[in-house]
Amino acid sequence: PLSSIPAHTRRTVATSTRTMAEEEELPPCEWAGELDDGYPTGEGTMTFPSGDTFVGSYERIGDTSLRQGPGKYTFAAGGFYEGEYSDGKKSGEGGVMVFPDGGRYEGAFAADAMEGEGVYTYPNGDVYSGMYAAGLKEGSGSYFFKASASTYMGDWAAGEFAEGEWILRDGSTYKGVFAGGQPSGEGTYTWATTGAVQSGTWRPDGVFVGGAIVAGV
């Protein structure tokens, strides 16, 4: 019976701040380090008018100086980035970004955005572990919901869960396509306690129309 199907509760996947703006090296910034004809170069500390600070290395390139190599940028409003820079942008593996709200990302960056594999821990305890592209969840990944102790595991597209498995607290699962954080189209429930299986289709109004329940082996 439909009443035996686990009730679906909307799972809102927390979104992350893709990047935090870092100030440009314009007066009256204060640089404690070596200068090359007035341009910061090598290791030192840059303090910005906002109170943000950067500790690391600069490289003069033409008529500008850019962050290069390992460094730490601390935001006066709270949070920091610690990792590699390339031509002034966050880049490379193993970077750590802590946001003012307490969110934390550890993983790869490219061109100032989360790119490649990483782990994002949200202030509410949710955890996403998987791939990113241009700052959005993209490709294979899993999202653990702390409040419900359930997990989305599968493929992501443009920051949203697209297809895979929804693993519930008791180990029961739903496999299918998702849209906007909800199951969509055809899918299959499997109950952990009995092994019973039911396939069906989600209607546009959010009602699951299931077929016959097949007893577990």
Side-chain angles (χ1 to χ4, degrees), residues 91-195:
S91 185
E93 305 290 332
V96 177
M97 187 80 175
V98 175
F99 296 87
D101 65 1
R104 180 184 181 93
Y105 171 80
E106 298 184 47
F109 286 83
D112 261 353
M114 296 176 286
E115 182 82 24
E117 190 170 1
V119 177
Y120 200 114
T121 303
Y122 293 86
N124 64 0
D126 290 2
V127 179
Y128 172 78
S129 179
M131 304 303 293
Y132 282 86
L136 297 175
K137 303 174 187 73
E138 185 79 29
S140 178
S142 66
Y143 190 107
F144 172 73
F145 297 90
K146 182 179 180 181
S148 64
S150 63
T151 302
Y152 282 168
M153 183 175 294
D155 295 325
W156 298 72
E160 292 192 349
F161 191 48
E163 184 173 3
E165 190 171 30
W166 179 26
I167 305 170
L168 305 177
R169 183 190 297 267
D170 68 352
S172 298
T173 63
Y174 173 82
K175 293 183 180 180
V177 175
F178 288 71
Q182 298 270 34
S184 178
E186 297 180 355
T188 301
Y189 276 108
T190 301
W191 282 265
T193 53
T194 64

